[in-house]
Amino acid sequence: MRKDFLVFGQPLIEQAEKDELLDSMDKAWLGTGPKVHQFEMDFAKYKQIDYAAAVNSCTAALHLACLSLGLEAGDEIITTPMTFCSTINAIIHAGAKPVLADIDPVTLNIDAAEIGEKITSRTRAVIVVHFAGRPCDMDAVMALAKSHNLAVIEDCAHAIETEYKGNKAGTIGDLGCFSFYATKNITTGEGGMIISRNERKISRIKIMALHGLSHDAWERYSDSGYKHYYVEEAGFKYNMMDLQAAIGIHQLRRIDAYWERRQKIWNRYMGDLKDLNIGLPAVAEKDTRHAYHLFTIRIDPDKVGISRDNFLEAMTERNIGVGVHYLSIPEHPYYRKRFSWRSEDFPHSYAVGRETVSLPISPKLTDRDVEDVIVAVRDIILKNQD
Ligand SMILES: *Cc1c(COP(=O)(O)O)cnc(C)c1O
């Protein structure tokens, strides 16, 4: 058994990030400044889009994206029950009502037919989540959006590298939201980005991300003389710091190398676990690029003789960190109480949420780490299988 605990989702931080951080420290410019501006431009270039706004999390990005739709009380936004809570919270904080549409049990992405069932006269938008980095069925989603005049927000927290039929995730709908949280494909510790083809939307989002001020702090303290700022709206404190962008600029430069490393790990897991009685992720569809953010297996206790939660415990005992993405949204007491949701009404999300386990898949993993994960999974499953 391995001696040290393998932390789930650890990022790979290299020398260039450390040097860039020290540079910010030496210049004593820590807050929003030139590095944030550079990171926005680099990210927009990577996504082949004109406008990007850096913020301090994907949660902030989703909140501002929802606010940018100009919602009214009673408006509804449809999204998936197989997501992180912040997708739902962003809708709530924007003053809208979240409505859930179940997933396709194979792709784990929101099912467009289910979206169709949930559209009412109050529906204003859909938030899709490209789960694990696998693109949603965007042709079907965009067709529905067009025929019902709905906005589409893409929650790309798993999907920085994702592509769908030649289009980059986050550029297909109206707004794309990204996360640079510590466990995501590239990181700034905490951080997020919003992209759009709509210049006015991004410029309003930038104002809303910094108190609703007319000028950002960088311009305010420039050497071209003091500028008064004016509050145009009651905004938020969602700006990204140069300290965060310093890390992100260099992480972004290695995005393809990291993707290739995760693809290798993914393929290794697929090959070395395929004879076991567990569910493996569906293979990436043709004409798409999977971002390989999560490698999720399914533990059906009837097939393998061990419950999912006992499997999680057994992995942890073997010093392997694992994750659960996610318990379905209606399992959380707050949402159940507030929206009267029942898990059974979203049977595919419910079943996945009860059986899924995420194995480590990060560029920081050595071949030895990957081997340790495989040995641990095989050992636990084979011991219980018969
Ligand atoms: C991580 C995540 C978020 C939130 O990202 P933060 O940057 O931590 O706010 C939102 N949606 C999904 C699907 C995520 O995985």
Side-chain angles (χ1 to χ4, degrees):
M1 195 184 89
R2 55 179 292 135
K3 285 209 177 62
D4 58 314
F5 188 74
L6 182 64
V7 177
F8 179 86
Q10 254 196 336
L12 182 56
I13 301 297
E14 302 191 43
Q15 192 57 42
E17 287 91 312
K18 298 177 192 171
D19 293 342
E20 196 73 47
L21 266 175
L22 275 180
D23 179 67
S24 289
M25 302 271 187
D26 287 340
K27 289 177 174 145
W29 194 287
L30 311 183
T32 306
K35 287 180 185 168
V36 169
H37 184 63
Q38 187 189 334
F39 188 43
E40 285 174 341
M41 297 213 299
D42 292 353
F43 195 80
K45 188 167 172 222
Y46 174 74
K47 298 305 291 193
Q48 293 167 3
I49 200 160
D50 287 335
Y51 308 109
V55 288
N56 60 14
S57 70
C58 184
T59 305
L62 289 164
H63 184 203
L64 295 176
C66 289
L67 284 174
S68 80
L69 304 179
L71 301 165
E72 287 165 18
D75 284 348
E76 297 171 358
I77 298 183
I78 298 174
T79 193
T80 169
M82 187 43 55
T83 187
F84 187 53
C85 60
S86 78
T87 317
I88 312 298
N89 292 346
I91 297 171
I92 295 172
H93 292 313
K97 181 182 169 200
V99 172
L100 300 178
D102 206 3
I103 56 167
D104 174 311
V106 175
T107 67
L108 310 183
N109 280 325
I110 195 165
D111 183 335
E114 294 284 330
I115 297 175
E117 302 270 307
K118 298 299 177 82
I119 294 174
T120 71
S121 59
R122 303 310 308 262
T123 308
R124 295 293 309 278
V126 177
I127 302 183
V128 298
V129 176
H130 303 295
F131 186 87
R134 181 191 178 101
C136 292
D137 182 0
M138 292 309 288
D139 281 347
V141 171
M142 296 312 289
L144 272 174
K146 196 164 173 216
S147 63
H148 293 88
N149 197 23
L150 310 176
V152 175
I153 296 171
E154 297 176 70
D155 179 340
C156 301
H158 302 177
I160 303 179
E161 306 92 334
T162 298
E163 293 178 16
Y164 175 80
K165 301 188 179 176
N167 296 303
K168 296 187 178 286
T171 70
I172 303 164
D174 299 276
L175 295 140
C177 300
F178 296 83
S179 176
F180 310 117
Y181 179 63
T183 58
K184 300 290 157 78
N185 286 356
I186 62 168
T187 187
T188 60
E190 299 277 3
M193 191 78 76
I194 312 169
I195 62 172
S196 179
R197 282 178 306 280
N198 185 324
E199 182 177 15
R200 284 190 28 229
K201 268 201 163 43
I202 292 295
S203 80
R204 171 155 185 249
I205 281 168
K206 283 187 176 175
I207 288 169
M208 290 302 280
L210 196 66
H211 307 294
L213 303 186
S214 52
H215 292 285
D216 71 21
W218 188 32
E219 287 173 66
R220 201 154 34 108
Y221 300 116
S222 74
D223 54 12
S224 58
Y226 186 84
K227 287 194 190 83
H228 285 289
Y229 59 84
Y230 296 97
V231 177
E232 296 181 342
E233 293 193 67
F236 300 88
K237 187 70 169 80
Y238 281 168
N239 55 305
M240 179 182 275
M241 300 166 74
D242 264 24
L243 290 179
Q244 295 166 300
I247 304 170
I249 288 165
H250 295 283
Q251 289 269 305
L252 184 58
R253 288 181 190 163
R254 285 187 227 105
I255 194 163
D256 290 325
Y258 287 176
W259 178 86
E260 276 165 33
R261 176 64 186 151
R262 291 196 312 279
Q263 186 188 43
K264 277 214 177 73
I265 297 168
W266 174 289
N267 289 338
R268 180 93 204 275
Y269 286 154
M270 286 299 254
D272 288 3
L273 303 176
K274 68 168 184 277
D275 59 312
L276 301 178
N277 233 342
I278 59 175
L280 294 177
V283 291
E285 261 167 312
K286 260 186 36 204
D287 211 11
T288 69
R289 188 185 199 208
H290 198 300
Y292 303 122
H293 175 58
L294 297 173
F295 189 93
T296 60
I297 62 174
R298 277 182 78 160
I299 306 293
D300 176 347
D302 294 337
K303 285 187 189 152
V304 293
I306 182 172
S307 73
R308 189 273 305 275
D309 288 358
N310 286 339
F311 178 83
L312 294 171
E313 216 146 273
M315 288 294 280
T316 311
E317 273 166 19
R318 282 168 174 76
N319 269 341
I320 310 283
V322 281
V324 172
H325 302 86
Y326 301 94
L327 279 183
S328 69
I329 288 293
E331 294 232 40
H332 298 288
Y334 176 80
Y335 304 126
R336 263 216 310 274
K337 215 155 123 195
R338 177 153 174 191
F339 302 110
S340 307
W341 289 335
R342 296 180 315 172
S343 305
E344 317 85 81
D345 294 337
F346 310 93
H348 297 311
S349 299
Y350 181 49
V352 171
R354 286 293 175 104
E355 294 181 3
T356 192
V357 176
S358 302
L359 302 181
I361 182 165
S362 131
K364 192 169 168 68
L365 300 183
T366 63
D367 288 344
R368 187 60 214 269
D369 293 334
V370 175
E371 182 71 26
D372 288 344
V373 175
I374 291 165
V375 166
V377 173
R378 294 192 63 82
D379 190 36
I380 297 164
I381 297 295
L382 292 172
K383 208 193 261 162
N384 287 280
Q385 202 158 270
D386 31 50

